[in-house]
């Protein structure tokens, strides 16, 4: 009986010790895994130059920003039909922009219209005929800017016109993808004037349709890069 009691006690002792041994082995495996991960992270840091990490981070940030930009312009909507402004500015360069602006003028949603960026060789009469605008309306209430060559020029010339007439609330008519950069450049020039974006929508960009349209994708990305460039230029000029 003494032998049986001794065997039972020894077995119990072994059972009590087994969990501790198992825990020790698990801890050892965990430590070895951590050591393995740290080892490979060190190797990666040695193999991948910091410049590559920075470039990769910039590419990821640029991609995320492009998606956000595209979704933003895709969801832009024209202001309500009963909303009015002191005047209207349209930036030339895209399909249907001038026609939309002249329609706003005809609806008396602004008292005067500036068409910014008109080619120097374009005659007033020719522009009036092409757009099929009422000659009297065109004669009385439409101004042409022939100086601006790009969006920055549009902003500079538009600011002069706004200050000349002391306008405080302006519809800005341009394509939806061009709205962010146009408002950015104009805001810099006109200060406290309220700029109301009026996007001209020629393509259905909602529900990620822009991802499936090669030409639209190219236009969006080009405009996004220009927008980033405008942000950088303004930021640097403010720091000087």
């Amino acid at each position: 009986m003494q032998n049986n009691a001794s065997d039972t006690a020894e077995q119990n002792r072994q059972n009590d010790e087994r969990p501790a041994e198992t825990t020790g082995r698990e801890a050892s495996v965990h430590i070895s895994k951590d050591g393995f991960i740290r080892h490979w992270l060190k190797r990666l840091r040695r193999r991948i130059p910091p410049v590559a990490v920075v470039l990769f981070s910039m590419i990821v940030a640029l991609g995320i920003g492009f998606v956000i930009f595209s979704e933003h312009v895709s969801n832009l909507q024209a202001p309500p039909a009963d909303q009015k402004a002191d005047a209207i500015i349209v930036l030339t360069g895209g399909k249907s922009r001038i026609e939309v602006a002249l329609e706003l003028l005809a609806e008396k949603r602004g008292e005067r219209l500036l068409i910014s960026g008109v080619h120097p060789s374009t005659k007033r009469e020719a522009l009036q005929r092409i757009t099929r605008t009422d000659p009297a309306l065109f004669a009385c209430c439409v101004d042409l800017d022939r100086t601006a060559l790009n969006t920055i020029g549009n902003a500079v010339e538009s600011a002069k016109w706004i200050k000349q007439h002391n306008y405080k609330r302006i519809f800005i008519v341009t394509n939806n993808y061009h709205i962010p950069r146009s408002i950015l450049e104009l805001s810099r020039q006109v200060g406290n004037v309220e700029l109301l974006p009026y996007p001209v929508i020629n393509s259905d960009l909602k529900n990620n349709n822009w991802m499936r349209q090669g030409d639209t994708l190219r236009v969006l990305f080009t405009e996004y890069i220009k927008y980033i460039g405008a942000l950088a230029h303004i930021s640097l000029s403010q720091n000087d």
Side-chain angles (χ1 to χ4, degrees):
M1 292 184 64
Q2 290 179 353
N3 289 337
N4 290 339
S6 177
D7 292 341
T8 301
E10 178 64 21
Q11 185 176 0
N12 290 338
R13 184 183 65 78
Q14 292 176 356
N15 290 339
D16 291 340
E17 291 178 352
R18 188 172 292 115
E21 294 173 357
T22 302
T23 302
R25 285 196 299 270
E26 290 176 350
S28 177
V29 170
H30 180 70
I31 291 171
S32 66
K33 285 181 178 178
D34 286 347
F36 177 78
I37 292 171
R38 285 197 296 269
H39 169 72
W40 276 103
L41 286 175
K42 288 179 181 178
R43 290 193 64 180
L44 284 173
R45 282 198 294 268
R46 287 196 298 267
R47 289 175 177 272
I48 301 177
V51 173
V53 175
V54 172
L55 287 175
F56 177 75
S57 301
M58 290 176 63
I59 290 171
V60 171
L62 194 68
I64 294 172
F66 175 60
V67 172
I68 294 172
F69 174 85
S70 300
E71 286 297 310
H72 171 65
V73 300
S74 298
N75 290 292
L76 286 173
Q77 298 289 330
D82 59 348
Q83 190 173 32
K84 294 185 178 182
D86 297 334
I88 306 156
I89 295 175
V90 58
L91 312 182
T92 59
K95 180 182 178 182
S96 304
R97 294 182 188 182
I98 295 176
E99 288 80 359
V100 170
L102 286 166
E103 184 176 343
L104 289 174
L105 182 65
E107 293 172 354
K108 298 183 178 180
R109 296 179 64 181
E111 67 181 37
R112 198 164 191 87
L113 167 66
L114 172 67
I115 304 177
S116 179
V118 177
H119 194 277
S121 65
T122 302
K123 305 294 184 182
R124 284 185 63 92
E125 296 77 10
L127 191 57
Q128 178 266 316
R129 287 196 303 271
I130 291 170
T131 56
R132 299 179 181 179
T133 308
D134 175 17
L137 179 67
F138 206 94
C140 82
C141 306
V142 176
D143 297 318
L144 305 183
D145 156 42
R146 303 177 187 274
T147 303
L149 300 176
N150 51 35
T151 304
I152 295 176
N154 291 142
V156 171
E157 297 305 317
S158 296
K160 294 177 183 177
W161 185 76
I162 290 170
K163 291 172 184 176
Q164 177 187 350
H165 294 280
N166 197 29
Y167 291 136
K168 299 298 182 184
R169 185 178 170 89
I170 311 289
F171 278 129
I172 305 301
V173 181
T174 187
N175 288 92
N176 51 355
Y177 59 81
H178 192 225
I179 285 288
R181 187 159 59 101
S182 301
I183 297 297
L184 179 67
E185 295 289 0
L186 279 162
S187 298
R188 184 186 177 199
Q189 297 291 334
V190 299
N192 294 326
V193 175
E194 185 178 4
L195 304 174
L196 304 174
Y198 200 102
V200 176
I201 302 170
N202 294 321
S203 300
D204 179 17
L205 303 180
K206 292 184 178 180
N207 301 318
N208 297 325
N209 281 342
W210 56 270
M211 292 185 180
R212 297 184 289 272
Q213 302 177 32
D215 290 342
T216 301
L217 191 63
R218 176 182 54 79
V219 170
L220 281 173
F221 188 74
T222 301
E223 185 59 34
Y224 171 64
I225 295 300
K226 290 180 179 179
Y227 177 68
I228 295 297
L231 282 174
H233 178 261
I234 291 173
S235 178
L236 289 173
S237 63
Q238 289 175 344
N239 292 332
D240 289 343

